[in-house]
């Protein structure tokens, strides 16, 4: 009988591929009561803030920059490519200073407004209700109007609904027709104010709950009283008392959704640069991004107490990364670059939303163009797509698909004595029966290998894409807009019902069944 030394045996064990070391086992299953991942989880947010609307989206019909009715055609094409499902407008904090009638009628006759929240600049109201709703029609996206509660009136709010939704035979419908729009837009999604705990009026939740009841009572679409989707201004991050009061004090027949706002940031200092950061700052930012899971869990627990039937949705209508503005830009414009760190934030956040899609029915990334974690940046005629944009495009496979159950224990990403789960994942099956899997490895240094049991799902003919780069700080610039792009991914195997995938450091991988 041949003899082996202990050293030889140990070497043999550790050299066996994917058997004892560095492997994470994941089980993906189908459950009967699994929710649908609403495409509206992948929504966006465009506020009158800095260069978001003017210059970012809207340049005017007389601009030399190619446009359709004043809206940049490159932005239109980019948003269509990520199948944008909804767009929130006009704010944000701006919403509760905005009076919609200032933005209709002949552009040369519209009054100007000082944007008191963002830079103190004067705007001419050339981009208004018609411009926004026509843009949404062009994009095939549902408009989400955030209405003025902080400085407006119930009558003003009710008139806006009538203006955009009433077909004919009313003063506001007649006014809309005078302004060139015959048919109503039939806007479904309405925010009843924004951040009422802060810029919306510094209200207590008890006061706002009563005010909300008043506004919601006077909301009707006339054609169908039940087709408006009313969203209450919800909590700031972990203000669980705010959610408690809204769920307790607002009758169910007056509300369809409760909002939640949470941004990712460096915990222990000023926000820091979007591109000049170290691993400590990266780790801290990812910690606040992953905090989204706890926030949803705890807010959902409160909602379950008052709404066990799951009739009221959680709407995370502001999320994303918040850093210092780029050097030399207006501090009130919130213009920041977008690196691989932001791709990590987008990937893990969207996986959380997918996995919590029984309660989370809409999300709105802040913001679409030139502000915070934007999907696109503009500079004159130039436009670039950010790493965040590419993640959203990769994840379109999850739109309106059935959630698959995922079970695993993630390996740790450890830095300076603290640990975070390194791997984030969600999976779905579309109407054609094809399985889609999105994986994120946030570890700044180590690759992670995963073994995914898909035997029960009848999976075959998988293809994959990856978003990765050499450095976390890498980003796209106007001189090098394709520095970070989605590429074909081949470092995986599917055999006998098992997917074996090697995830590089700080990467996003999406596998699709063809």
């Amino acid at each position: 009988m041949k003899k082996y030394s202990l050293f030889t045996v140990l070497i043999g064990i550790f050299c066996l591929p994917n058997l004892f070391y560095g492997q994470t086992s994941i089980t993906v299953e189908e459950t009967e009561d699994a929710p649908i991942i609403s495409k509206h989880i992948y929504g966006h947010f465009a506020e009158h803030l800095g260069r978001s609307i003017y210059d970012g989206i809207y340049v005017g019909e007389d601009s030399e920059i190619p446009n359709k009715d004043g809206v940049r055609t490159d932005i239109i094409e980019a948003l269509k490519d990520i199948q944008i499902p909804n767009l929130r407008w006009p704010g944000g904090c701006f919403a509760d200073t905005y009076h919609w009638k200032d933005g209709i009628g002949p552009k040369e006759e519209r009054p100007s407004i000082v944007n008191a929240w963002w830079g103190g600049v004067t705007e001419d109201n050339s981009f208004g209700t018609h411009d926004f709703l026509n843009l949404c029609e062009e994009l095939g996206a549902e408009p989400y109007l955030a209405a003025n509660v902080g400085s407006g009136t119930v009558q003003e709010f009710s008139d806006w609904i009538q203006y955009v939704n009433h077909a004919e035979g009313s003063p506001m419908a007649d006014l809309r027709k005078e302004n060139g729009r015959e048919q109503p837009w039939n806007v479904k999604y309405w925010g009843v104010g924004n951040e009422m705990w802060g810029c919306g009026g510094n209200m207590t939740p008890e006061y706002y709950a009563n005010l909300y009841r008043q506004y919601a009572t006077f909301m009707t679409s006339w054609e169908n009283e039940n087709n408006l989707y009313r969203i209450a201004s919800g909590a700031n991050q972990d203000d669980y008392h705010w959610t408690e009061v809204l769920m307790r004090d607002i009758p169910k027949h007056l509300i369809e959704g409760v909002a939640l706002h949470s941004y990712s940031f460096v915990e222990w200092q000023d926000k820091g640069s979007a591109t000049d950061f170290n691993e400590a700052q990266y780790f801290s930012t990812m910690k606040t991004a992953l905090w989204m899971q706890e926030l949803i869990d705890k807010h959902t627990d409160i909602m379950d107490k008052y709404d066990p039937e799951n009739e009221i949705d959680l709407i995370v209508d502001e999320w994303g990364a918040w850093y210092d503005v780029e050097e030399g830009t207006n501090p009130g414009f919130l213009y920041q670059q977008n690196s691989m760190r932001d791709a990590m934030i987008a990937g893990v956040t969207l996986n959380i939303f997918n996995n919590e899609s029984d309660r989370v029915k809409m999300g709105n990334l802040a913001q679409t163009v030139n502000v915070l974690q934007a999907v696109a940046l503009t500079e004159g005629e130039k436009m670039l797509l950010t790493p965040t944009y590419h993640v959203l495009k990769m994840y379109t496979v999850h739109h309106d698909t059935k959630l698959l159950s995922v079970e695993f224990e993630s390996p740790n990403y450890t830095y300076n004595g603290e640990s975070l789960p390194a791997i984030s994942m969600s999976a779905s099956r579309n109407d054609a029966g094809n399985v889609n899997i999105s994986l994120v490895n946030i570890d700044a240094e180590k690759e992670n290998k995963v073994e995914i049991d898909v035997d029960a799902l009848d999976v075959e003919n998988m293809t994959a894409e990856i978003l990765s780069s050499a450095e976390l700080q890498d980003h796209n610039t106007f001189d090098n807009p394709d520095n970070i792009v989605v590429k074909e991914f081949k470092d995986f195997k599917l055999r006998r019902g098992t997917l074996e995938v090697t995830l590089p450091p700080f990467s996003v991988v999406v596998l699709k069944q063809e």
Side-chain angles (χ1 to χ4, degrees):
M1 180 175 178
K2 191 172 181 179
K3 295 183 179 179
Y4 297 91
S5 69
L6 178 60
F7 177 79
T8 304
V9 172
L10 290 175
I11 289 294
I13 289 174
F14 285 108
C15 288
L16 285 174
N18 302 331
L19 185 58
F20 296 107
Y21 184 72
Q23 184 83 30
T24 298
S25 296
I26 301 173
T27 301
V28 181
E29 297 178 324
E30 199 157 15
T31 56
E32 290 185 5
D33 59 347
I36 297 298
I37 300 172
S38 172
K39 66 180 180 180
H40 290 293
I41 282 173
Y42 293 84
H44 295 260
F45 172 33
E47 183 172 5
H48 284 248
L49 197 173
R51 295 192 303 114
S52 170
I53 299 298
Y54 299 108
D55 186 46
I57 291 177
Y58 185 79
V59 292
E61 295 177 28
D62 297 331
S63 174
E64 294 182 358
I65 298 172
N67 68 85
K68 182 173 183 179
D69 299 326
V71 177
R72 297 179 66 121
T73 54
D74 53 5
I75 291 295
I76 291 174
E77 292 167 3
L79 295 179
K80 284 183 176 180
D81 282 347
I82 57 173
Q83 301 172 32
I84 176 174
N86 68 73
L87 185 59
R88 181 175 179 241
W89 177 85
C93 292
F94 183 81
D96 285 284
T97 63
Y98 182 68
H99 299 281
W100 67 271
K101 287 183 180 178
D102 293 343
I104 61 172
K107 294 183 186 289
E108 65 275 11
E109 296 179 9
R110 298 178 187 180
S112 60
I113 182 175
V114 174
N115 193 329
W117 283 111
W118 305 117
V121 296
T122 299
E123 300 185 7
D124 63 3
N125 274 309
S126 57
F127 187 87
T129 295
H130 288 247
D131 306 275
F132 172 69
L133 296 180
N134 290 342
L135 169 60
C136 289
E137 279 191 337
E138 174 67 25
L139 295 173
E142 291 272 7
Y144 170 11
L145 292 176
N148 184 345
V149 172
S151 67
T153 65
V154 173
Q155 184 66 57
E156 181 181 13
F157 195 167
S158 179
D159 283 349
W160 201 12
I161 297 173
Q162 185 183 117
Y163 186 87
V164 301
N165 281 5
H166 200 194
E168 58 187 349
S170 69
M172 291 300 105
D174 292 344
L175 180 59
R176 181 192 68 245
K177 293 181 181 183
E178 289 175 18
N179 290 327
R181 173 74 183 198
E182 184 67 26
Q183 296 300 319
W185 290 278
N186 297 317
V187 177
K188 177 179 180 179
Y189 296 100
W190 294 84
V192 185
N194 167 78
E195 294 190 355
M196 307 310 293
W197 38 263
C199 61
N202 284 299
M203 300 175 185
T204 65
E206 291 82 4
Y207 178 83
Y208 172 65
N210 282 329
L211 194 62
Y212 174 94
R213 292 163 65 126
Q214 179 187 10
Y215 273 76
T217 299
F218 290 92
M219 295 176 69
T220 178
S221 63
W222 288 276
E223 302 301 320
N224 181 351
E225 289 188 8
N226 299 316
N227 74 349
L228 292 186
Y229 189 103
R230 297 158 296 187
I231 301 169
S233 172
N236 179 29
Q237 296 187 321
D238 58 349
D239 186 351
Y240 302 115
H241 176 65
W242 189 277
T243 300
E244 181 91 30
V245 172
L246 265 54
M247 293 299 298
R248 182 194 69 201
D249 291 358
I250 298 175
K252 284 186 182 180
H253 71 278
L254 292 178
I255 186 171
E256 283 70 44
V258 173
L260 170 66
H261 290 181
S262 183
Y263 287 90
S264 303
F265 51 88
V266 179
E267 296 175 291
W268 38 265
Q269 62 168 53
D270 292 337
K271 297 181 180 71
S273 168
T275 54
D276 184 14
F277 58 90
N278 56 35
E279 188 174 355
Q281 292 167 306
Y282 168 68
F283 187 92
S284 179
T285 309
M286 293 311 303
K287 184 178 178 180
T288 59
L290 290 168
W291 188 36
M292 181 67 76
Q293 182 66 64
E294 178 182 327
L295 294 175
I296 291 175
D297 288 344
K298 291 187 175 181
H299 284 291
T300 296
D301 286 345
I302 295 168
M303 296 176 75
D304 288 345
K305 181 168 67 171
Y306 294 96
D307 177 34
E309 300 85 5
N310 213 12
E311 295 176 347
I312 300 172
D313 300 330
L314 183 60
I315 309 297
V316 190
D317 57 14
E318 287 190 30
W319 68 271
W322 196 319
Y323 313 121
D324 291 339
V325 301
E326 295 302 304
E327 187 174 352
T329 64
N330 188 322
F333 284 7
L334 304 188
Y335 175 77
Q336 65 189 40
Q337 251 293 353
N338 196 288
S339 73
M340 281 300 300
R341 172 172 61 171
D342 300 287
M344 298 300 99
I345 292 170
V348 300
T349 302
L350 292 170
N351 280 341
I352 291 170
F353 291 168
N354 288 347
N355 289 325
E356 298 298 331
S357 54
D358 57 336
R359 183 69 84 165
V360 178
K361 299 300 183 182
M362 183 186 288
N364 299 86
L365 175 65
Q367 293 189 14
T368 311
V369 185
N370 289 335
V371 174
L372 298 176
Q373 192 173 343
V375 297
L377 304 177
T378 66
E379 185 180 87
E381 292 183 355
K382 297 179 181 179
M383 188 271 288
L384 67 81
L385 305 175
T386 68
T388 297
Y389 175 93
H390 293 306
V391 173
L392 283 159
K393 188 170 184 180
M394 294 169 74
Y395 276 50
T396 55
V397 295
H398 291 305
H399 289 200
D400 285 341
T401 57
K402 187 175 182 180
L403 179 70
L404 296 175
S405 173
V406 174
E407 291 188 9
F408 70 104
E409 288 191 18
S410 172
N412 287 332
Y413 164 38
T414 301
Y415 178 82
N416 199 25
E418 282 193 273
S419 294
L420 296 172
I423 296 176
S424 166
M425 177 180 173
S426 64
S428 66
R429 191 192 288 277
N430 63 22
D431 289 342
N434 295 331
V435 171
N436 309 292
I437 297 172
S438 51
L439 291 156
V440 183
N441 177 21
I442 70 167
D443 199 304
E445 301 291 339
K446 299 177 182 177
E447 70 176 24
N448 274 292
K449 297 182 179 180
V450 299
E451 187 178 82
I452 308 173
D453 180 1
V454 293
D455 188 52
L457 301 176
D458 192 27
V459 172
E460 56 185 20
N461 300 326
M462 300 290 285
T463 62
E465 295 177 323
I466 186 170
L467 191 73
S468 63
S469 194
E471 303 290 338
L472 270 165
Q473 296 79 7
D474 288 347
H475 55 282
N476 293 333
T477 67
F478 293 106
D479 293 329
N480 189 5
D482 295 325
N483 185 38
I484 300 174
V485 294
V486 178
K487 297 178 181 178
E488 183 181 6
F489 180 67
K490 295 185 177 180
D491 201 358
F492 75 97
K493 296 177 181 178
L494 174 59
R495 51 189 177 189
R496 294 188 296 276
T498 299
L499 271 169
E500 297 174 359
V501 188
T502 301
L503 302 170
F506 54 95
S507 63
V508 180
V509 171
V510 172
L511 299 108
K512 301 176 287 185
Q513 182 180 1
E514 297 296 328

